[in-house]
Amino acid sequence: MRMPLSWLAEYTDVPEGVTGAQVAAALVSVGIEEEDLHGGDITGPLVVGRVLELEEQVQKNGKPIRYCVVDVGQHGQMLTEGKHQEIVCGATNFEVGDLVVVVLPGAVLPGGFEISARKTYGRMSNGMICAEDEIGLGDDHAGIIVLRDVLGEEQVAGVKPGDDAIALLGLGEETIEANVTPDRGYCFSVRGLAREYWHSQGSPAGGYRDPALVETPDANDAGYRVVVEDERPIDGNVGCDRYVARTIRGIDPTRPSPKWMQRRLTQMGMRPISLAVDVTNYVMLAVGQPLHAFDVDKLSGSIVVRRARAGERLTTLDDVERTLDPEDLLITDGGEHLLAIAGVMGGASSEVDDSTTSVLIESAHFDPTTVARSSRRHKLVTEASKRFERVVDPQLAPAAAQLAVDLLVRYGGGTVDDGVTDVDRTTPPTPYRLDVTEPARIVGVDYSRDRVLGILRVLGCAVDETGEGTDATHVLVTPPSWRPDLADGPDYAEEVARIDGYNAIPSVIPTPSEGHGLTHGQHVRRVVADALAGAGYTEVLTYPFVAEGLADELMLPADDDRRRAVRLANPISEERPLMRTTVLSSLVDALRRNVARGHKDVALYELGLVFQPHGPVAQAPIPTVQSRPDEAILARLYAAVPDQPRHAALVASGLAEQAGWWGPGRAADWSDAVAAVESVAAALAVPVVVANDRGRAPWHPGRCARISLTDGTIVGWAGELHPKVLAALDLPARTVAAEFDVDVLTAASELPVQAAQFSTFPPAMTDVALLVEGDVAAADVEAALRRGAGPDLEVVTLFDVYEGEQVGAGHKSLAYRLTFRAPDRTLTTEEVNGFRDAAVSAAAEAVGATQR
């Protein structure tokens, strides 16, 4: 929203000599963001020029360049000894005879851009023909300014070459452009911005002059007939709750808009068109109420406001035929002939033109949701729709219509009908019982009662201190009609803080409490991350959404719990509608993406939640916000949420050890995945058991290890992924992976580890080779050795596995080194042999092992 300083000064007191930057800073202090400053930064000569000749040549790159001869009046005589100016221009939207804006050598454009004569495209260019954005008149750079299109035929008629374009276009005056947020729709007008500037100056008495405070006649039966029919309200709100209509007859269609009005419209970024249209635009910019002018002679009956019917079509003012939606609100002539899409754009059939002598002014209040949806549905954003969808003051309609009537009568010579139409179905704002201490409690500034009530009154609120429900602390506050955003205590607290001054709010650095440090679970997650990073894996974060066919690609059995995934009602991507049941299912995407981008040696890990419903997910209740949910509601809420254990997963492909001058590299294999999980367990001081697992998808049945606690609780799995899985997922061959339950490790490491006393006596080592059947797990043999060896066993190490002719088909030999150490003495050979024999006997009993 733009606002020239001279227009601001009409509605509020502006100190003499104040600059646009100072006004913008004042608006920022009350929460209105500055977007830009226009005008006031151009030094001439910036003049009107008439194109006398042009020669167009197409360059090698296909770009047309025009070599122009331009008459710039007396300025040409001063610059080039009476010759017209030769100017090179790249725009093509003008012809010989057009009046354009020319900046001559010696001028300075916005941004400090100095103009000088220079050679370009092989010829000397004495200045530049300007586009809107080059002189701060707008943002358009599609073509240069043709004054006939910008100012209209009437105003251009008296313009001649050499005239000062700065004064003509109002560029000598600073214009502020503010960024209006959706909740401040009233600031989409000079009236609203002037009110905010007045607040920034302390809201002095008599310092604000509301342009909407005009006398308006009461409605009567002689007005133009208007019927509002809305059988399909949206969100409970009718499409039109107020419609004011006024009629002016006998307007002289040849009369142009006054020059001051045209200049202001130009400063605001709008193009003057005709008196009737310019008046409606001017009033809209002044007070924020969009108006529409209908040619009365083109109307045949009453105005009927209704929703569109299926199949109806309307050609709007931009000459586009639009298919209407049943939710569109329409302005119609007698209910049948379509005149406009309410609040968005009028139709071409009732357009005010050069022959219009009688005008019907529409000043209505439309539902914001209805207008916003129609605007987006038809991709039609207009100045009216931008204001209606941000909520227009419903009490403003009669005053805006009166302002338009007065201007048309004054400058068009018409007479206003005595009939006044005002269909009013608006509802007054509801009073709110405000605790006057709430602003101080929320903001942290000690606002007195008088200060709070004083601010509310200058905002336009009605404050009742004696009505029912009031006391020493509470008052009844009714917001003004232009502030529908004021609904509760925090809203009023924000306004008090804003008007009192944000700079009055102290900057207090909060004092942190001592706290209790990290929880055990947080410690565990950090240890897991550190251990995996230390093992050479890089952490990634992936989205927990997976595709429906992923379970098949991972070769999960039909009865596997990991197939039962939670389906999202509104997924981010229709291709990934399910929540992951394993971290590995989303981590493989990160591996595939890295490999596809040329990274051959990749090792990744992720810590994250998985979602395991273990059955149908119940529908969650919607608790009230008035109080804390009771235990029954909480139980239903938790029942509607799937289990969400925290897992960690890792994947690796390519080389685990790089090749170099030191020797050949080593490819990552299943043992690396197992070792990574073991390193995590060791860092947490949690003993784990590693055993072969031939039936766990998506791992290779012969290269998969099950990792569990000593009590049998499963921690996770590690190993090489199945070749078919790798092919389905487009991953490198021999990719290894692991996934384990961090919550299991967290629970297992809950109790602090009691450090054993270190023995200073020497260890005693003995080796034993055991013959077992081929399907016996080495982990089972090791467990049996530990049980039988006794408390002095310190380490069991498997150092050799042999399968061949010497042990027979279907058997294997496992060689272990047993290390014994006593805490109080040096063990003898006889003692060690006894421990070894006991261990072998236990293995024989448990798994049928025989000593070789």
Side-chain angles (χ1 to χ4, degrees):
M1 175 64 196
R2 297 190 180 195
M3 178 178 62
L5 290 187
S6 61
W7 204 346
L8 170 67
E10 290 184 13
Y11 298 160
T12 187
D13 295 336
V14 178
E16 185 177 354
V18 72
T19 65
Q22 291 171 328
V23 172
L27 291 174
V28 169
S29 70
V30 289
I32 305 298
E33 180 182 352
E34 172 195 354
E35 183 75 18
D36 204 353
L37 288 175
H38 304 276
D41 55 352
I42 298 179
T43 57
L46 184 75
V47 301
V48 174
R50 185 182 298 279
V51 180
L52 301 178
E53 302 176 17
L54 62 84
E55 174 190 348
E56 184 173 311
Q57 293 183 3
V58 179
Q59 305 301 302
K60 292 181 180 179
N61 59 3
K63 179 180 179 181
I65 295 297
R66 287 183 167 185
Y67 302 98
C68 308
V69 177
V70 184
D71 179 6
V72 292
Q74 70 276 16
H75 297 279
Q77 299 174 4
M78 292 185 290
L79 290 172
T80 55
E81 300 177 355
K83 296 182 180 179
H84 298 302
Q85 298 301 294
E86 296 181 355
I87 300 176
V88 180
C89 182
T92 60
N93 66 316
F94 62 98
E95 301 297 337
V96 171
D98 282 342
L99 291 175
V100 295
V101 177
V102 179
V103 58
L104 299 173
V108 179
L109 294 183
F113 183 62
E114 297 182 2
I115 302 299
S116 61
R118 63 187 181 93
K119 191 172 184 179
T120 180
Y121 292 101
R123 299 191 190 182
M124 185 63 66
S125 182
N126 297 310
M128 182 173 69
I129 304 176
C130 299
E132 286 186 5
D133 63 335
E134 293 167 337
I135 59 175
L137 188 62
D139 299 323
D140 187 14
H141 194 71
I144 56 95
I145 299 170
V146 178
L147 291 178
R148 177 189 65 251
D149 298 334
V150 174
L151 300 180
E153 294 287 354
E154 295 82 0
Q155 189 172 359
V156 169
V159 177
K160 62 183 183 301
D163 286 354
D164 184 8
I166 295 178
L168 179 66
L169 299 175
L171 299 175
E173 179 186 356
E174 287 187 290
T175 298
I176 299 147
E177 185 174 357
N179 183 13
V180 180
T181 55
D183 61 328
R184 298 289 174 90
Y186 66 97
C187 286
F188 245 114
S189 64
V190 179
R191 176 200 188 206
L193 290 178
R195 185 188 301 276
E196 293 304 315
Y197 180 75
W198 174 58
H199 289 322
S200 73
Q201 303 304 300
S203 309
Y208 176 68
R209 297 170 288 279
D210 190 347
L213 289 180
V214 295
E215 292 186 8
T216 58
D218 295 333
N220 53 51
D221 296 334
Y224 200 92
R225 186 168 183 267
V226 174
V227 178
V228 177
E229 299 176 353
D230 190 359
E231 300 175 356
R232 296 188 297 277
I234 296 178
D235 298 334
N237 298 322
V238 295
C240 175
D241 58 7
R242 190 159 199 180
Y243 197 104
V244 174
R246 301 289 298 277
T247 305
I248 306 95
R249 303 182 189 275
I251 297 174
D252 184 352
T254 64
R255 290 194 183 185
S257 305
K259 291 187 179 297
W260 64 265
M261 184 182 294
Q262 295 187 30
R263 184 173 62 254
R264 282 203 169 156
L265 291 175
T266 303
Q267 289 175 312
M268 301 294 279
M270 301 187 75
R271 180 171 64 91
I273 298 175
S274 64
L275 177 61
V277 175
D278 291 351
V279 164
T280 58
N281 286 335
Y282 174 80
V283 173
M284 175 187 68
L285 295 170
V287 299
Q289 170 67 55
L291 304 175
H292 191 76
F294 296 106
D295 187 334
V296 175
D297 296 333
K298 296 179 181 179
L299 303 180
S300 59
S302 61
I303 294 291
V304 177
V305 184
R306 63 169 176 84
R307 299 282 177 175
R309 299 166 187 153
E312 285 189 305
R313 303 174 70 86
L314 171 66
T315 300
T316 47
L317 288 173
D318 56 356
D319 292 327
V320 176
E321 187 179 43
R322 304 180 185 276
T323 301
L324 303 175
D325 185 272
E327 282 194 357
D328 289 331
L329 189 68
L330 303 179
I331 310 299
T332 69
D333 182 11
E336 299 303 322
H337 181 60
L338 308 187
L339 301 178
I341 302 176
V344 180
M345 183 177 280
S349 61
S350 60
E351 180 182 7
V352 173
D353 54 32
D354 295 340
S355 63
T356 300
T357 58
S358 298
V359 172
L360 177 70
I361 295 294
E362 169 197 274
S363 181
H365 182 259
F366 300 116
D367 173 51
T369 303
T370 298
V371 174
R373 291 181 181 177
S374 292
S375 175
R376 286 154 179 76
R377 184 180 298 117
H378 298 290
K379 297 180 176 59
L380 192 58
V381 179
T382 62
E383 292 294 330
S385 69
K386 286 190 290 187
R387 286 164 173 80
F388 277 124
E389 67 184 30
R390 287 167 172 80
V391 185
V392 172
D393 181 1
Q395 304 305 320
L396 191 58
Q402 186 63 46
L403 290 173
V405 165
D406 292 343
L407 288 170
L408 285 173
V409 169
R410 180 177 179 182
Y411 295 104
T415 57
V416 59
D417 282 3
D418 293 333
V420 178
T421 302
D422 188 354
V423 179
D424 188 358
R425 299 179 181 176
T426 60
T427 56
T430 303
Y432 175 76
R433 187 171 182 264
L434 175 68
D435 183 347
V436 295
T437 65
E438 190 168 8
R441 185 171 62 254
I442 292 176
V443 180
V445 176
D446 187 17
Y447 300 116
S448 67
R449 175 190 174 95
D450 290 342
R451 180 59 175 154
V452 171
L453 299 186
I455 289 175
L456 295 180
R457 288 190 172 102
V458 299
L459 284 172
C461 299
V463 180
D464 183 358
E465 300 183 64
T466 60
E468 183 179 356
T470 62
D471 51 37
T473 305
H474 296 84
V475 297
L476 294 177
V477 182
T478 303
S481 57
W482 61 85
R483 293 299 304 272
D485 57 308
L486 300 181
D488 53 24
D491 291 337
Y492 288 106
E494 179 185 1
E495 288 302 293
V496 171
R498 186 174 70 89
I499 301 303
D500 188 72
Y502 292 131
N503 58 345
I505 303 175
S507 298
V508 180
I509 300 176
T511 302
S513 61
E514 294 182 0
H516 301 287
L518 299 178
T519 65
H520 175 64
Q522 291 169 329
H523 274 298
V524 169
R525 294 198 287 274
R526 293 192 177 190
V527 170
V528 171
D530 289 344
L532 292 177
Y537 293 83
T538 300
E539 184 176 18
V540 297
L541 295 175
T542 63
Y543 287 113
F545 313 121
V546 296
E548 291 189 82
L550 184 63
D552 294 331
E553 294 175 340
L554 294 176
M555 298 175 60
L556 301 183
D559 59 347
D560 197 308
D561 282 347
R562 290 172 292 173
R563 280 187 174 271
R564 287 193 277 273
V566 176
R567 181 179 295 275
L568 297 172
N570 186 23
I572 294 178
S573 170
E574 293 296 338
E575 296 179 354
R576 298 173 182 269
L578 305 180
M579 301 294 288
R580 68 185 178 192
T581 56
T582 68
V583 175
L584 191 60
S585 60
S586 58
L587 186 59
V588 291
D589 284 339
L591 175 62
R592 181 171 57 245
R593 192 174 300 112
N594 278 271
V595 171
R597 283 159 176 73
H599 298 285
K600 302 300 183 184
D601 308 320
V602 184
L604 308 174
Y605 82 92
E606 180 178 5
L607 270 167
L609 298 178
V610 297
F611 305 86
Q612 301 173 344
H614 300 298
V617 178
Q619 185 173 357
I622 301 177
T624 178
V625 297
Q626 302 299 324
S627 60
R628 183 181 185 277
D630 57 28
E631 294 303 322
I633 293 293
L634 289 175
R636 292 176 58 196
L637 285 172
Y638 288 130
V641 178
D643 294 340
Q644 299 177 44
R646 189 177 301 276
H647 282 199
L650 57 94
V651 290
S653 66
L655 295 178
E657 297 177 5
Q658 297 296 317
W661 58 264
W662 51 85
R666 183 182 66 82
D669 61 21
W670 64 269
S671 64
D672 293 302
V674 175
V677 182
E678 287 182 315
S679 68
V680 170
L684 294 170
V686 175
V688 294
V689 178
V690 179
N692 185 30
D693 192 328
R694 296 183 178 275
R696 185 67 177 181
W699 283 275
H700 190 296
R703 300 177 186 135
C704 176
R706 181 180 65 254
I707 303 167
S708 56
L709 303 180
T710 54
D711 64 0
T713 303
I714 295 178
V715 175
W717 287 265
E720 183 179 313
L721 294 177
H722 197 289
K724 292 184 179 180
V725 171
L726 297 178
L729 297 177
D730 196 21
L731 295 178
R734 308 303 293 269
T735 295
V736 300
E739 181 160 353
F740 56 94
D741 194 326
V742 177
D743 289 347
V744 170
L745 294 177
T746 301
S749 60
E750 188 74 39
L751 296 177
V753 176
Q754 182 64 45
Q757 184 176 358
F758 181 76
S759 175
T760 59
F761 293 93
M765 291 173 284
T766 182
D767 296 342
V768 59
L770 301 177
L771 184 64
V772 296
E773 294 184 1
D775 59 352
V776 174
D780 295 338
V781 178
E782 180 181 333
L785 291 174
R786 288 185 179 277
R787 287 195 303 270
D792 290 336
L793 178 66
E794 189 173 74
V795 179
V796 178
T797 304
L798 175 66
F799 65 87
D800 184 61
V801 178
Y802 174 75
E803 293 178 296
E805 295 180 358
Q806 297 183 17
V807 297
H811 291 77
K812 60 185 175 183
S813 174
L814 305 177
Y816 291 91
R817 176 161 295 155
L818 309 181
T819 302
F820 296 93
R821 193 197 304 261
D824 55 352
R825 69 191 188 282
T826 299
L827 294 174
T828 65
T829 303
E830 290 77 10
E831 288 178 312
V832 172
N833 291 339
F835 297 154
R836 179 198 61 200
D837 294 342
V840 172
S841 298
E845 181 179 352
V847 297
T850 58
Q851 187 172 4
R852 292 182 63 195

